[in-house]
Amino acid sequence: MSGILEGKRILITGVLMESSIAFHTAKLAQEQGAEIILTAFPRPTLTERIAKKLPKPTKVVELDVTNAEHLTRLEDIVRAELGGLDGVVHSIGFAPQDALGGNFLNTPFESVSTAMHVSAFSLKSLTMACLPLMQEGGSVVGLTFDAQYAWPQYDWMGPAKAALESVNRYLARDLGKQNVRCNLISAGPIGSMAAKSIPGFSELADVWNHRSPLEWDLNDPEPAGRGVVALLSDWFPKTTGEIIHVDGGLHAIGA
């Protein structure tokens, strides 16, 4: 039996460490039959080293999603490598240190602007850069952290994720006529590089120890990766503008 991504061509951002959701998405995508290409910033060499741990070799492209030149050249690079795309994975988020860790009331707009640009607007930028490569439709999947609530220490990344979730809905609205689906996975906390950059991350993650109906493992990104791969596949042909929770069920529990 062939994999659920057999014949698919997928661009994946955010592979920084073997512990990242993006890495496990890339690994699972290859195992399920996809050809993939990775993007990296600011250290492509780091991603190239991590990529050697994937089942098959893959090209790594430098991509700063806030750089118009990088976004413009992406189409030609991917077309030369894969011919086109059937899916895009947005696993990008960043906020300056003064926008995190309990500094919400004192964060300057410049830092908020950076968080919004990299973490939310980039979903639109990346999707539009890849859209000419998805002539027969496709699936765009991003990663969020449930923006319904104010989380300890998360500060301006919370509003940035709320913006990301809204951008996803508008992309779904505007790209449906081109048969491009846009969805998000809302994952529970994972001990990735991004998480470790959040001061007091352990306090935030500890909520899962007390409230998650299903046991949650901070060191296991594979469930979230499986969710991404499922949305990239043809098994969700009429699902768009959606947020699928892979969080042990915590989002459903009030207290």
Side-chain angles (χ1 to χ4, degrees), residues 73-158:
R73 75 188 185 196
L74 184 63
E75 178 186 349
D76 289 341
I77 294 171
V78 175
R79 195 179 297 281
E81 185 72 13
L82 298 179
L85 284 176
D86 303 289
V88 176
V89 178
H90 179 281
S91 180
I92 300 169
F94 172 77
Q97 283 297 299
D98 62 355
L100 299 164
N103 196 47
F104 185 85
L105 297 178
N106 300 309
T107 303
F109 177 71
E110 291 76 15
S111 295
V112 175
S113 176
T114 297
M116 290 290 180
H117 193 173
V118 178
S119 306
F121 184 79
S122 65
L123 178 62
K124 193 279 293 190
S125 303
L126 178 65
T127 300
M128 294 309 292
C130 294
L131 189 60
L133 297 158
M134 294 189 282
Q135 290 299 308
E136 298 181 10
S139 175
V140 177
V141 184
L143 288 163
T144 188
F145 189 75
D146 203 329
Q148 297 179 87
Y149 307 106
W151 296 101
Q153 312 299 329
Y154 207 49
D155 293 351
W156 282 100
M157 275 303 292

Side-chain angles (χ1 to χ4, degrees), residues 20-208:
S20 70
I21 294 171
F23 175 85
H24 283 264
T25 297
K27 178 175 179 288
L28 289 163
Q30 285 188 334
E31 290 173 351
Q32 291 298 318
E35 292 183 82
I36 68 171
I37 188 168
L38 305 180
T39 74
F41 187 81
R43 294 172 59 193
T45 53
L46 175 61
T47 298
E48 286 168 355
R49 287 201 298 272
I50 298 300
K52 291 177 181 177
K53 298 182 179 182
L54 291 170
K56 300 176 184 176
T58 183
K59 184 178 181 67
V60 176
V61 180
E62 183 180 21
L63 176 66
D64 175 0
V65 287
T66 68
N67 185 315
E69 182 181 339
H70 282 201
L71 290 163
T72 299
R73 75 188 185 196
L74 184 63
E75 178 186 349
D76 289 341
I77 294 171
V78 175
R79 195 179 297 281
E81 185 72 13
L82 298 179
L85 284 176
D86 303 289
V88 176
V89 178
H90 179 281
S91 180
I92 300 169
F94 172 77
Q97 283 297 299
D98 62 355
L100 299 164
N103 196 47
F104 185 85
L105 297 178
N106 300 309
T107 303
F109 177 71
E110 291 76 15
S111 295
V112 175
S113 176
T114 297
M116 290 290 180
H117 193 173
V118 178
S119 306
F121 184 79
S122 65
L123 178 62
K124 193 279 293 190
S125 303
L126 178 65
T127 300
M128 294 309 292
C130 294
L131 189 60
L133 297 158
M134 294 189 282
Q135 290 299 308
E136 298 181 10
S139 175
V140 177
V141 184
L143 288 163
T144 188
F145 189 75
D146 203 329
Q148 297 179 87
Y149 307 106
W151 296 101
Q153 312 299 329
Y154 207 49
D155 293 351
W156 282 100
M157 275 303 292
K161 289 298 188 182
L164 175 75
E165 293 175 8
S166 185
V167 169
N168 175 66
R169 288 188 285 270
Y170 279 91
L171 285 173
R173 181 195 71 178
D174 290 349
L175 297 181
K177 58 183 174 292
Q178 298 179 54
N179 198 32
V180 173
R181 296 171 285 122
C182 302
N183 297 289
L184 299 176
I185 291 290
S186 180
I190 297 295
S192 63
M193 181 180 288
K196 290 172 182 175
S197 69
I198 301 171
F201 172 75
S202 58
E203 179 188 346
L204 185 158
D206 189 52
V207 174
W208 267 257

Side-chain angles (χ1 to χ4, degrees), residues 19-21 24 188-191 216-225 246:
S19 60
S20 70
I21 294 171
H24 283 264
I190 297 295
W216 186 254
D217 185 352
L218 280 173
N219 299 309
D220 186 8
E222 186 167 318
V246 183

Side-chain angles (χ1 to χ4, degrees), residues 149 151 207-214 247-254:
Y149 307 106
W151 296 101
V207 174
W208 267 257
N209 292 328
H210 305 288
R211 287 177 49 203
S212 176
L214 297 175
D247 67 346
L250 185 136
H251 71 281
I253 303 302

Side-chain angles (χ1 to χ4, degrees), residues 219-237:
N219 299 309
D220 186 8
E222 186 167 318
R226 286 180 178 236
V228 175
V229 168
L231 286 171
L232 289 169
S233 78
D234 294 331
W235 285 95
F236 284 87

